[in-house]
Amino acid sequence: MPKTTRAALAASTLLLAGCFSPSSDLPKGELAYRTMPAASDKIGAQEYRIGVLDTLSIRVFQESELTFDELSVNSAGTINFPFIGEMTAIGKTPIELSREIEAGLGSRYIRDPQVVVGVVSSAAQRVTVDGEVEQPGVYEIAGTSSLLESVARARGITSVGVDDEVIIFRMINGERHGAIFDLKAIREGRADDPEVLGGDRIVVGYSALRGTWQSFLRAAPLFNAFTRF
């Protein structure tokens, strides 16, 4: 058998063995955007909600002893505030927490208190980008991001990554959900860029087809050395 024919047969075998099988149990297309909509489909940006290990600033007008430049939310999601005691902070917006502190102080200690809560640093505003990207890792975002931006933070997809089936995992109402997005279509402007929130995990899959083909190409010089007549 000629050397070129043997090489072609070997390549065909490798490609057939390495076909990529997409995740069929996760929503894609319109169904994916119903689960995780694009920013343009939403009415304004989602309000930030305080998470565990966030660092807050709390200022009470004209009350220096009740003003803190940094106050950490503990792992249970609570803070301890003077005169009030333990308060649940997790899941509340800074404005909601401000109003609760005002109510707690105003009921017994201070007349018409004015409280401003800010977020100094957020442990919850991080996105994990995993799989076939150049630099997998955990990346901080300011408020919200998008799928395209998040993958760019990880220096893009590798040569064996699947750019038309990128998965976003998210906790929604205590349950883990996943949806598949076509990053190639997003880049080309044929699909919306879904919003990415703190706590999301992005996974770029491995294309066995591309990986096997690249392995074959790398092995080709060695393969030729053993097939010479």
Side-chain angles (χ1 to χ4, degrees):
M1 182 182 296
K3 178 173 63 178
T4 55
T5 303
R6 286 199 295 270
L9 287 174
S12 300
T13 302
L14 287 170
L15 290 174
L16 289 172
C19 290
F20 175 75
S21 178
S23 300
S24 59
D25 57 340
L26 295 177
K28 59 173 58 178
E30 291 184 8
L31 292 177
Y33 285 99
R34 290 180 189 175
T35 305
M36 302 174 192
S40 59
D41 295 334
K42 301 179 73 175
I43 304 174
Q46 185 182 68
E47 286 188 282
Y48 178 72
R49 296 191 175 274
I50 298 167
V52 295
L53 306 181
D54 282 359
T55 301
L56 310 177
S57 66
I58 302 178
R59 302 182 182 279
V60 182
F61 183 63
Q62 293 185 337
E63 297 290 341
S64 59
E65 293 183 356
L66 299 177
T67 294
F68 301 89
D69 291 331
E70 293 188 358
L71 188 64
S72 297
V73 181
N74 63 26
S75 58
T78 65
I79 60 171
N80 278 291
F81 199 79
F83 302 130
I84 299 176
E86 189 174 58
M87 302 181 66
T88 297
I90 185 174
K92 297 173 182 174
T93 67
I95 292 177
E96 289 171 345
L97 185 57
S98 299
R99 298 295 174 262
E100 287 195 15
I101 295 174
E102 288 175 347
L105 294 175
S107 62
R108 289 173 289 179
Y109 304 105
I110 301 173
R111 183 178 179 180
D112 298 326
Q114 297 178 37
V115 180
V116 176
V117 175
V119 180
V120 176
S121 64
S122 173
Q125 294 299 82
R126 292 187 174 94
V127 172
T128 302
V129 187
D130 203 357
E132 290 301 321
V133 290
E134 294 293 345
Q135 292 185 12
V138 180
Y139 296 90
E140 292 189 2
I141 61 173
T144 60
S145 183
S146 71
L147 179 58
L148 202 59
E149 291 174 356
S150 299
V151 172
R153 290 173 188 268
R155 302 294 185 268
I157 296 178
T158 68
S159 59
V160 294
V162 183
D163 59 356
D164 58 348
E165 290 194 346
V166 178
I167 304 174
I168 300 178
F169 291 104
R170 177 177 302 167
M171 294 298 294
I172 302 175
N173 297 325
E175 295 183 358
R176 193 185 193 205
H177 293 259
I180 300 173
F181 296 92
D182 188 338
L183 193 65
K184 181 179 180 182
I186 294 169
R187 284 200 191 100
E188 296 173 352
R190 296 183 288 107
D192 290 330
D193 194 4
E195 187 175 36
V196 170
L197 307 178
D200 284 357
R201 183 186 179 200
I202 298 167
V203 179
V204 178
Y206 171 80
S207 172
L209 179 67
R210 297 172 194 166
T212 303
W213 175 246
Q214 288 202 3
S215 297
F216 170 75
L217 291 179
R218 286 194 296 269
L222 181 63
F223 178 80
N224 290 335
F226 284 97
T227 55
R228 291 175 182 169
F229 293 103

